[in-house]
Amino acid sequence: MSSRDHWKSKLGFILAAVGSAVGLGNIWKFPYVVGKNGGSAFIFIYLACVILVGIPILVVEIYIGKKSQLNPVGAFRFFQKGKLPFSLIGYAGVLCGIIILSYYSVITGWICHYLMLSFRGFSGTETEISEIFTDLNATPWLNIAWHTFVMVTVVAIIAKGVRNGIERVSKILMPLLGILLLMLVCYAVTLSGMKDAWHFLTYPDFSKVTPGSFLEALGTSFFTLSLGMGAMITYGSYLKGNVNITKSAVQIASVDTLIAFLSGLVIFPIVFSNGLEPSAGPGLIFKTLPVLFSKMPGGHIVSVAFFALVLFAAITSAISLIEVAVSFVVDEYKVSRMKALVIMGTVIWLLGILSAVSSWNVAGTSFLDLFDKIASCYMLPLGGLCTALVFGWAISNEQKKSEIGSSAFSTALLFAAKYISPVLLLLVFLKEIGLF
Ligand code: PFF
């Protein structure tokens, strides 16, 4: 495996992993899930999930990748013990990445469309502005065009390799994302709704928490940390030498959580300043926010900054999604990176067309919703569960400790990964399939 591309620096790895983690899940999903579940009490539960499951599984995935120096399929085969076909977990991960990217690219296309519109500024009545989204969805060629644009961009970045493509782009986009987010937070602080937003995000009201909130928090933390499908295994496989995996995982999870919280701190003041409900749902950034941008002083610049921020976050996540499939084809079939990219890019692009044409559906459910449900509700928790089981029960303690260390913190993480995470992930999965 000496020809394997590796990260140039530890910082490059951290930024690429943060780039994978920070995406639509943080800026689009997290705020509306928080809104729906009553605010800060939910954030406390979310934090507990990140600590008890997110960080341990992140450590496990990075470990599996770094130790094996292989794509998820090869990596699970590397740890094969007994007769159970561990590599199936890797195959499911590759498939899951393909499915997620096919619709993630369509949503990223919507962001591109809104960014373009932001340059002109949103104007018109509330109905007219929220109809932009309905019109976009009803125009298949436009959706396909943006989806194609996103896929070509992602493929062009990946074509340059791990070090010169993924790492370089992450080193530019992640700091830019940080700057844009801080600018937006500074702006949000000046709004009248900031006080209410701060209260909403920091004073827990546990009466709003339902049993379902626990599982939703776990599922969301898993998605936003890019866990359960081998993305972090793949990024871990490009690590070499002495890397403190535990410390890296804590850093990645902390930045991911901070960015999710700051996104809420940008979105909720805007929502509260306009007397709206925080639980607007998935339409929040495509329907509600543009209407508010059109009314706000300086809303034009704020909307450009906001959609650019979301676009950068989405592109770096999309990169990690396709990299899983590409590394699989390169490692397993010994083809060139370029060939693997063309094959996988085309497959994902074709699959994405199903989501881009919103009028196509299965029993009344759009392909986009269906794929999201299959991948993020079933495949990710199940993938995480299997990963935790392999790590906990098929890899010896000596092997783990040689890479992860034996400090009290590492020991606690190993304990959580072996006993706590699988149980909680099993609960999420059973809840998703409706068993309780
Ligand atoms: N973490 C990304 C987000 O929050 O949008 C989504 C994601 C990327 C999930 C990569 C899984 C993955 F492997």
Side-chain angles (χ1 to χ4, degrees):
M1 280 296 136
S2 57
S3 63
R4 197 172 187 76
D5 204 357
H6 285 94
W7 307 112
K8 193 164 154 210
S9 64
K10 242 182 275 179
L11 178 69
F13 161 67
I14 298 284
L15 288 178
V18 167
S20 166
V22 173
L24 297 170
N26 302 61
I27 306 174
W28 170 63
K29 199 167 183 184
F30 181 79
Y32 85 72
V33 175
V34 170
K36 209 175 79 185
N37 287 280
S40 86
F42 180 82
I43 296 183
F44 276 93
I45 302 170
Y46 178 86
L47 283 178
C49 293
V50 169
I51 294 167
L52 288 176
V53 183
I55 296 178
I57 302 289
L58 193 50
V59 168
V60 169
E61 288 208 10
I62 299 174
Y63 166 85
I64 290 180
K66 179 166 186 288
K67 188 90 189 159
S68 66
Q69 295 284 297
L70 287 166
N71 71 91
V73 172
F76 280 104
R77 196 182 296 124
F78 179 88
F79 290 106
Q80 180 70 48
K81 226 181 180 182
K83 287 223 162 55
L84 288 173
F86 285 4
S87 60
L88 277 185
I89 309 167
Y91 282 110
V94 173
L95 180 66
C96 185
I98 292 173
I99 296 176
I100 296 184
L101 183 53
S102 74
Y103 68 82
Y104 205 87
S105 162
V106 174
I107 303 177
T108 308
W110 299 345
I111 307 282
C112 294
H113 187 70
Y114 274 75
L115 178 59
M116 282 300 149
L117 295 178
S118 299
F119 282 111
R120 270 205 337 240
F122 293 101
S123 58
T125 63
E126 271 181 35
T127 329
E128 278 165 358
I129 297 177
S130 47
E131 265 174 10
I132 296 175
F133 189 61
T134 321
D135 290 346
L136 174 63
N137 261 309
T139 320
W141 71 264
L142 190 55
N143 262 325
I144 295 174
W146 281 123
H147 163 57
T148 310
F149 172 76
V150 172
M151 284 306 298
V152 169
T153 308
V154 169
V155 166
I157 295 171
I158 292 266
K160 299 232 178 297
V162 173
R163 193 181 272 231
N164 296 323
I166 307 178
E167 183 166 353
R168 190 172 284 171
V169 166
S170 306
K171 274 184 172 162
I172 300 170
L173 291 188
M174 283 299 107
L176 265 178
L177 181 143
I179 293 170
L180 283 176
L181 187 57
L182 287 181
M183 274 167 48
L184 285 167
V185 171
C186 289
Y187 172 80
V189 167
T190 66
L191 296 176
S192 60
M194 186 64 189
K195 217 170 128 230
D196 288 338
W198 182 255
H199 190 272
F200 182 71
L201 288 169
T202 54
Y203 287 82
D205 175 3
F206 283 96
S207 68
K208 301 255 172 61
V209 171
T210 62
S213 306
F214 288 87
L215 300 177
E216 189 145 21
L218 189 54
T220 308
S221 66
F222 221 62
F223 184 82
T224 76
L225 284 171
S226 304
L227 297 174
M229 50 144 282
M232 292 300 176
I233 296 182
T234 308
Y235 276 15
S237 76
Y238 300 134
L239 274 174
K240 63 176 175 197
N242 216 350
V243 176
N244 187 331
I245 295 181
T246 323
K247 192 170 143 200
S248 305
V250 172
Q251 287 168 339
I252 297 162
S254 309
V255 178
D256 184 63
T257 307
L258 182 68
I259 291 185
F261 183 79
L262 290 180
S263 304
L265 214 50
V266 169
I267 290 173
F268 290 122
I270 301 177
V271 170
F272 284 122
S273 301
N274 291 274
L276 290 168
E277 274 302 302
S279 50
L284 195 66
I285 72 170
F286 296 112
K287 288 185 175 165
T288 317
L289 285 185
V291 174
L292 306 183
F293 288 145
S294 76
K295 292 188 198 157
M296 283 166 21
H300 179 70
I301 300 166
V302 178
S303 68
V304 171
F306 179 78
F307 285 109
L309 165 88
V310 187
L311 181 62
F312 294 163
I315 290 285
T316 46
S317 297
I319 288 174
S320 71
L321 285 161
I322 194 170
E323 183 59 27
V324 175
V326 169
S327 74
F328 158 70
V329 177
V330 171
D331 284 352
E332 298 291 311
Y333 300 100
K334 310 280 176 253
V335 300
S336 72
R337 189 173 174 83
M338 214 46 216
K339 208 168 177 182
L341 253 177
V342 172
I343 297 168
M344 281 306 164
T346 311
V347 169
I348 297 168
W349 178 76
L350 283 171
L351 192 64
I353 290 178
L354 292 177
S355 299
V357 184
S358 64
S359 56
W360 291 349
N361 57 57
V362 183
T365 308
S366 69
F367 278 97
L368 196 153
D369 289 340
L370 182 73
F371 288 162
D372 185 36
K373 184 94 192 152
I374 295 173
S376 58
C377 297
Y378 304 137
M379 293 180 85
L380 291 185
L382 195 59
L385 172 63
C386 295
T387 307
L389 290 177
V390 166
F391 179 80
W393 305 92
I395 303 176
S396 74
N397 271 342
E398 294 68 49
Q399 245 182 320
K400 290 176 207 165
K401 287 197 169 148
S402 67
E403 197 74 58
I404 296 172
S406 43
S407 65
F409 186 60
S410 302
T411 311
L413 278 179
L414 294 183
F415 178 85
K418 185 165 180 176
Y419 298 103
I420 304 176
S421 314
V423 174
L424 293 178
L425 285 167
L426 183 66
L427 288 180
V428 172
F429 182 69
L430 294 180
K431 159 92 174 34
E432 292 296 354
I433 59 171
L435 277 188
F436 72 91

